[in-house]
Amino acid sequence: MPPADPVDRGVALVQAARHGDTLALHDLLHHLTPYIARICRPIALDDGPDAAQEALVAVFTSLRSLREPEALYGWVRAITVREAVRVAKRAGRARPAELADVPERGDPQLATDIDDVLARLSPAHRAVLVLRDLEGMDEESAAALLGVPTGTAKSRLYRARRSFRKAWSA
């Protein structure tokens, strides 16, 4: 009987997959898909499914490099964020929209949801905002995951939050 806890289940699936169980590998990728998609969507926006697919391929091809199966979710998160930012940049979303172009309140084209506001941020700003405010990571952990100094992550987070507030209240 598989473990009831999702984290324990993921660890058990990794261990089985690393021992050659192809069904466990399939189940692992299926198990990780919602987690990966939840991270990719706010960073890569419309290209979230592509980023999730890229992240799943990277997880599949790199699974043997995972030293500690217990670190599965942190390892997958690092791969996923890297792939989501890469896909977003490749899709031409690296340059954020001008906030002056935000429609006035009451304009029917103004979307009042978070996705519309996130789309106005650069992939780097979306990534740090998602890691900090959605994933609950501290600035130091987010910086390490993104491969930038802590000060850079803090300044990106400050700018992302400021831009988000400005676009949201426009």
Side-chain angles (χ1 to χ4, degrees):
M1 179 168 201
D5 179 43
V7 173
D8 291 341
R9 183 166 188 266
V11 170
L13 288 171
V14 166
Q15 291 168 337
R18 289 173 65 166
H19 290 299
D21 184 343
T22 55
L23 186 55
L25 178 59
H26 175 270
D27 289 346
L28 175 65
L29 295 176
H30 182 73
H31 173 75
L32 292 172
T33 298
Y35 177 69
I36 289 171
R38 189 183 83 222
I39 295 170
C40 286
R41 190 174 187 295
I43 296 172
L45 305 172
D46 291 339
D47 297 305
D50 291 339
Q53 189 69 28
E54 295 289 334
L56 283 166
V57 168
V59 166
F60 172 76
T61 58
S62 303
L63 190 58
R64 295 215 182 267
S65 71
L66 175 62
R67 293 182 200 150
E68 298 291 326
E70 293 77 21
L72 172 67
Y73 291 92
W75 180 75
V76 168
R77 181 175 35 222
I79 290 172
T80 301
V81 169
R82 183 183 66 237
E83 292 300 322
V85 169
R86 189 180 59 76
V87 167
K89 284 181 179 179
R90 185 179 68 211
R93 299 186 195 288
R95 198 178 129 262
E98 291 298 319
L99 293 177
D101 296 338
V102 176
E104 292 294 319
R105 188 178 303 262
D107 187 318
Q109 296 210 356
L110 176 64
T112 58
D113 61 353
I114 292 172
D115 290 341
D116 180 59
V117 176
L118 282 173
R120 300 178 191 286
L121 303 177
S122 70
H125 286 158
R126 284 194 305 265
V128 74
L129 196 62
V130 166
L131 290 174
R132 181 67 179 97
D133 293 338
L134 296 180
E135 288 294 308
M137 295 179 80
D138 58 31
E139 286 88 357
E140 292 81 17
S141 300
L145 187 63
L146 294 170
V148 299
T150 302
T152 300
K154 287 181 178 183
S155 67
R156 283 182 186 173
L157 181 61
Y158 171 78
R159 287 186 194 108
R161 285 177 174 166
R162 187 183 65 202
S163 295
F164 188 95
R165 276 189 223 101
K166 185 175 180 181
W168 186 258
S169 65

